[in-house]
Amino acid sequence: MKVEKINQNYSALRLQSNNSRAAQTPYFTGNLKNEITELLPNKTAIKVMEKLKWLKGEIGGILITALGTGAVAPIFIAYNPFVKAPEGATEKQKEDVENTKKYTAMRQPVSAVLAVIFQTSILKPIDKGLEILFNNPKYAQNLWVNLDQSTLNKKSYMEKIVKKEMKAEGREFKNKQEFETELNKRVEARLNEQINKTAEAFGTTGKITIGSRTVDNQTIAEIINKSIDNYIDDANNLKINDAGLDFYKRRATILIKNEEIFEKLFNNNNLPNNGKEIADYLKQKNLEIKDPDVKLILEEIINAPENLRASRCNRTLERIKKIKEACEGTFTEEKYLQTMIDTNKDLSNIVEQLKKCKIDKVENATEKTIQEVIRQIAECCQYETKNQRLATKVQSTATFQSSLDKLLENIRKDIVKGYKKVLEERYKGFNQISKIAIGLCITLPITCTALNWVYPRFMKLCFPKLSGCKKEDAASQKTAKNGGDN
């Protein structure tokens, strides 16, 4: 359960330390990637790199290796200064040494081409075959449970299933983008449904069930401890550091002091509908305002991305309301500062309680232990609505809830999601080892055999001089002209 942003109305990012970034860094809605890229001085290079990011995959690795083998290595082989004719060698001997180096160098490009052909052609079948084996219940039930993805399917496998179903429906889409949007929507729904069902069964039995088999308690206990670490990080990220405390105290004073001005400026009846009009409206109002603090806040909103300006205005009013609630209706700088300090203490107490929930000996964990720890975690993350100060801070997060039942449900889902990640990492490792084994036992021998057959024929056809064919042809022609041995 990652902490979601409790949106603030001010630019305090420069004042935040790393341990408070989750609470203060805004989660942007809307696609700002392209807008930000266009503003950067090296945008052309970034766009080129974005287009080449597919090279990070296995096929990209094969192509890069082949490029080095076929284009770079031949240069160093053909012009190797350490390989030369012996002292006192004739010009003919020197020429033979140089030709031999070049002949050997030309083996590299041929080898690189064959490697690309054989290696890339086998990657997809291996991936597809392993994916079916470990995601299809018919086959997965007979394999290792630690790699069984039949209950929590791999996303790519689910995409293939949903694609077939959509094609069978015969539904027509306007374009590829509409098809992809619907596909992603259905895939996510199906994957979430699998997680929800597994988590529900986990709450009943205390075990994560995969098909007819169950995950060992030690693995679940390790995932629980990791989840606790995540919840601790979430609590720490909500705390405000010293620089932030000073900034928020001063900003709260500005907001409360100028409450009437902000209410008038950001009232829905006065505020334009779109971001561009809001910027023009605030620029005009900024000329009429003399208070430098108010002008600063308005400039922050004007400089915000166009699609965020309206929400920034609304959040300013919401922020004023929350400040007054935190001070129980009577605001003073000292009182508001103390509420923030007290909230930090509450969060520190939650962190200490969560640390005590950790399972010390995961190898001895039982179903009962697991269920008890899950309940303890939920009780630590539950807050009382009576504690208005803490509730205001954490009520918009997923990690902390007022409902114990909701927390128990979320924690179980997190544990199932954690197991799915473990499963994916195990499968990724097995997949890579399988490809290495297949490469060593099958692909490499085939490639070498093909190279030994193709290379001399390629050289004879394309570089007859280096392969010695001209010499042989001349000798044959001389023999034929003299009538042969007879």
Side-chain angles (χ1 to χ4, degrees), residues 8 20 51 149 184 188 280 298 349 380 399 421 425 430 438:
Q8 308 292 349
S20 64
K51 291 179 180 179
Q149 296 176 303
N184 292 333
E188 288 301 319
D280 294 337
L298 294 185
N349 290 334
C380 289
T399 299
K421 287 183 180 178
E425 287 300 316
F430 179 82
I438 291 172

Side-chain angles (χ1 to χ4, degrees), residues 79-96:
Y79 300 99
N80 187 350
F82 300 104
V83 177
K84 52 188 176 181
E87 189 176 347
T90 65
E91 291 300 321
K92 178 61 176 172
Q93 289 174 323
K94 291 179 180 179
E95 184 182 356
D96 286 344

Side-chain angles (χ1 to χ4, degrees), residues 348-358 379-381:
S348 295
N349 290 334
I350 292 172
V351 168
E352 292 305 314
Q353 292 172 21
L354 285 170
K355 288 179 180 178
K356 294 177 182 178
C357 293
K358 282 198 167 187
E379 289 172 351
C380 289
C381 294

Side-chain angles (χ1 to χ4, degrees), residues 145 148 150-152 194-195 197-216 220 416 419 423:
V145 66
D148 188 345
S150 60
T151 298
L152 299 168
Q194 288 182 342
I195 289 172
K197 285 184 177 180
T198 306
E200 186 177 348
F202 178 40
T204 303
T205 64
K207 284 182 170 291
I208 295 178
T209 304
I210 305 296
S212 59
R213 299 176 290 182
T214 56
V215 178
D216 62 281
I220 298 176
V416 172
Y419 177 69
L423 202 57

Side-chain angles (χ1 to χ4, degrees), residues 282-474:
L282 293 180
K283 286 177 183 177
Q284 181 61 38
K285 293 298 180 181
N286 213 10
L287 297 174
E288 304 171 4
I289 293 172
K290 297 181 179 180
D291 191 317
D293 293 325
V294 176
K295 292 174 77 70
L296 175 63
I297 293 176
L298 294 185
E299 286 171 4
E300 290 174 0
I301 299 174
I302 291 168
N303 294 328
E306 185 175 324
N307 61 336
L308 294 180
R309 288 172 190 146
S311 64
R312 288 287 298 270
C313 294
N314 292 330
R315 293 202 314 270
T316 299
L317 301 181
E318 183 65 23
R319 183 61 190 163
I320 292 172
K321 180 182 177 183
K322 291 190 180 215
I323 292 170
K324 293 167 71 174
E325 288 176 354
C327 294
E328 298 177 348
T330 306
F331 172 82
T332 64
E333 280 192 354
E334 293 72 21
K335 190 173 184 179
Y336 185 61
L337 175 61
Q338 190 60 47
T339 63
M340 291 189 288
I341 293 173
D342 291 342
T343 301
N344 278 352
K345 289 180 180 178
D346 288 341
L347 291 168
S348 295
N349 290 334
I350 292 172
V351 168
E352 292 305 314
Q353 292 172 21
L354 285 170
K355 288 179 180 178
K356 294 177 182 178
C357 293
K358 282 198 167 187
I359 301 173
D360 291 331
K361 296 181 179 180
V362 293
E363 64 275 8
N364 297 331
T366 64
E367 290 89 345
K368 184 179 179 181
T369 302
I370 289 169
Q371 295 290 50
E372 286 178 354
V373 170
I374 289 175
R375 178 163 286 277
Q376 289 172 12
I377 296 170
E379 289 172 351
C380 289
C381 294
Q382 183 185 25
Y383 67 86
E384 294 184 4
T385 53
K386 293 180 181 178
N387 187 345
Q388 186 63 42
R389 174 174 38 76
L390 182 61
T392 300
K393 186 71 174 178
V394 303
Q395 64 187 357
S396 297
T397 70
T399 299
F400 304 99
Q401 302 279 338
S402 59
S403 169
L404 186 63
D405 290 338
K406 182 64 176 176
L407 277 167
L408 290 169
E409 180 184 336
N410 287 348
I411 292 168
R412 292 184 190 116
K413 286 180 183 178
D414 281 345
I415 294 170
V416 172
K417 289 176 184 176
Y419 177 69
K420 186 172 182 178
K421 287 183 180 178
V422 170
L423 202 57
E424 288 172 351
E425 287 300 316
R426 287 174 180 169
Y427 176 80
K428 183 179 179 181
F430 179 82
N431 181 282
Q432 292 174 340
I433 292 172
S434 299
K435 288 175 181 175
I436 292 171
I438 291 172
L440 291 173
C441 300
I442 301 175
T443 311
L444 184 60
I446 292 174
T447 305
C448 291
T449 301
L451 179 62
N452 290 334
W453 188 89
V454 170
Y455 181 59
R457 289 165 175 77
F458 168 78
M459 292 301 293
K460 184 176 181 179
L461 180 65
C462 300
F463 302 96
K465 183 178 179 181
L466 292 179
S467 64
C469 290
K470 282 191 175 182
K471 184 192 293 184
E472 293 174 5
D473 291 345

